[in-house]
Amino acid sequence: MTIQWFPGHMTKARRQIQEKLKLIDVVIELVDARLPQSSRNPMIDEILQGKPRLIVLNKSDLADPAVTKQWIEFFKEEGHLAIAADASSGHGIKEIPLLAKELLKEKIEKQLAKGINPRAVRALIVGIPNVGKSTLINRLAGRSIAATGDRPGVTKGQQWIKVGTEMELLDTPGILWPKFEDQNVGYRLAVTGAIREEILNIEDVAFFGVKYLVKYYWEPFQERFDLKEQPTDFENPDEIVAVMEAVGRKRGCLVSGGRVDLEKASGILLRELRAGKLGRYSLEAPY
Ligand code: G4P
């Protein structure tokens, strides 16, 4: 296993986020709905220091809806409000400001009782790279934020983006890092393309993905690659490799002697998987 978790990165990210916590009322924690646990930072509770938090399971258009539902329940049991969303199409986005306000209900009620008119809820989006933070910010803002900020000559300080009249969003998200202590976390991230597969062995990444998919999502897999029988022993590497070879043959990844080029087959398989060609899937379930 060659991927590493750099404590230096995390210390810096943590400091930057904690600076921003002083300015905001709620945190919107973005995770990937296909792997909600592996795509979050395990130290998140400690980092956020009790700030009210909404968990958004983004890219839910790519995840197994039944498993996403289980995750929402799971987070609820942990005491967090959670919602599934798809920042690309905008599905589930309208609810975010409403839920952010819901998190501050008690505070808002107290203010109203004292005759104070509550100001807009101030929020910060946090998450690991590639979970869709920029897409969500742009979607909530209704325009492209990064494009304006990146214009030469425009000095970019901390800016607030108005989301309707009830929420204001910090324009730069807080970036967290995943932790790969458990190597399965690294593999799940690599299967979805959240981390570059080159830092892992591509055949190992594909093997990990195939093993999970043939077990839980056999039908779309079988259909796409014209496979015959579902493996019976998922723990037997030979059975999984036989599936990968069948995929390779189907895609014409042959080398001299009729052997299958597993590296090439792995690359093709991962590309098709990420492009959604094998349908919706989740790589981990809470129960
Ligand atoms: P980040 O700021 O957290 O690093 O993530 P970013 O918004 O850049 O999104 C990373 C990739 O995920 C982008 O794809 C983006 O389009 C895609 N994405 C974000 N939200 C969703 C979602 O809800 N569903 C789906 N299916 N995809 C989502 P990309 O290939 O890197 O770029 P592009 O497709 O925008 O060209």
Side-chain angles (χ1 to χ4, degrees):
M1 188 73 172
T2 45
I3 353 180
Q4 293 196 1
W5 191 65
F6 299 106
H9 269 157
M10 203 48 235
T11 310
K12 193 170 161 215
R14 178 190 191 128
R15 210 182 313 120
Q16 285 173 344
I17 288 175
Q18 287 178 340
E19 276 300 304
K20 290 178 180 171
L21 286 181
K22 297 174 195 151
L23 308 171
I24 54 131
D25 306 308
V26 300
V27 170
I28 298 172
E29 185 198 359
L30 218 57
V31 297
D32 186 321
R34 291 167 294 176
L35 57 168
Q37 201 67 55
S38 299
S39 61
R40 73 201 300 230
N41 183 285
M43 281 152 69
I44 187 81
D45 290 344
E46 213 183 307
I47 295 169
L48 297 184
Q49 303 170 331
K51 232 353 136 181
R53 182 188 345 164
L54 169 65
I55 300 177
V56 175
L57 290 94
N58 193 40
K59 305 197 185 185
S60 61
D61 55 313
L62 303 175
D64 178 338
V67 178
T68 301
K69 234 180 186 173
Q70 289 179 7
W71 278 110
I72 289 175
E73 270 312 302
F74 170 85
F75 288 127
K76 222 188 250 170
E77 278 166 21
E78 273 196 339
H80 296 298
L81 212 52
I83 180 181
D86 164 7
S88 293
S89 75
H91 178 79
I93 302 303
K94 268 205 316 274
E95 282 88 336
I96 292 177
L98 304 175
L99 291 172
K101 211 172 157 189
E102 172 83 25
L103 285 170
L104 297 179
K105 202 167 147 205
E106 270 177 38
K107 194 174 160 192
I108 291 174
E109 276 169 4
K110 270 188 203 150
Q111 286 176 330
L112 286 172
K114 284 189 201 156
I116 304 167
N117 220 359
R119 59 167 169 72
V121 175
R122 292 193 171 154
L124 166 71
I125 290 179
V126 304
I128 66 166
N130 223 18
V131 281
K133 297 179 297 299
S134 316
T135 312
L136 180 63
I137 291 177
N138 290 337
R139 177 63 66 177
L140 285 168
R143 64 199 149 98
S144 176
I145 297 305
T148 9
D150 289 345
R151 255 191 348 236
V154 177
T155 343
K156 200 168 177 241
Q158 199 72 81
Q159 309 217 5
W160 294 98
I161 301 161
K162 282 201 188 317
V163 182
T165 51
E166 317 227 9
M167 189 165 106
E168 285 177 4
L169 195 62
L170 267 185
D171 68 340
T172 39
I175 298 173
L176 291 164
W177 299 94
K179 191 164 185 171
F180 312 124
E181 226 160 51
D182 169 358
Q183 66 169 16
N184 290 341
V185 170
Y187 282 127
R188 285 186 200 108
L189 289 163
V191 167
T192 59
I195 55 173
R196 298 209 343 257
E197 78 225 0
E198 292 86 357
I199 54 176
L200 288 169
N201 178 310
I202 189 171
E203 289 173 38
D204 289 348
V205 175
F207 181 92
F208 182 91
V210 168
K211 184 175 160 183
Y212 198 87
L213 293 168
V214 296
K215 186 167 178 185
Y216 295 104
Y217 301 98
W218 171 246
E219 273 178 27
F221 203 92
Q222 179 187 33
E223 247 170 60
R224 184 156 185 89
F225 299 114
D226 279 339
L227 301 176
K228 289 193 189 74
E229 286 195 8
Q230 187 175 22
T232 45
D233 180 3
F234 301 107
E235 293 313 314
N236 180 354
D238 291 344
E239 291 204 27
I240 308 302
V241 170
V243 171
M244 291 171 70
E245 285 174 342
V247 168
R249 274 193 295 275
K250 176 84 185 154
R251 290 289 176 265
C253 308
L254 296 175
V255 283
S256 58
R259 278 187 305 112
V260 174
D261 181 344
L262 274 183
E263 191 180 339
K264 199 167 165 200
S266 298
I268 292 177
L269 207 140
L270 289 171
R271 263 201 308 281
E272 294 190 14
L273 184 62
R274 289 174 194 150
K277 299 275 166 49
L278 283 141
R280 298 168 73 163
Y281 65 92
S282 296
L283 287 174
E284 58 187 0
Y287 309 113

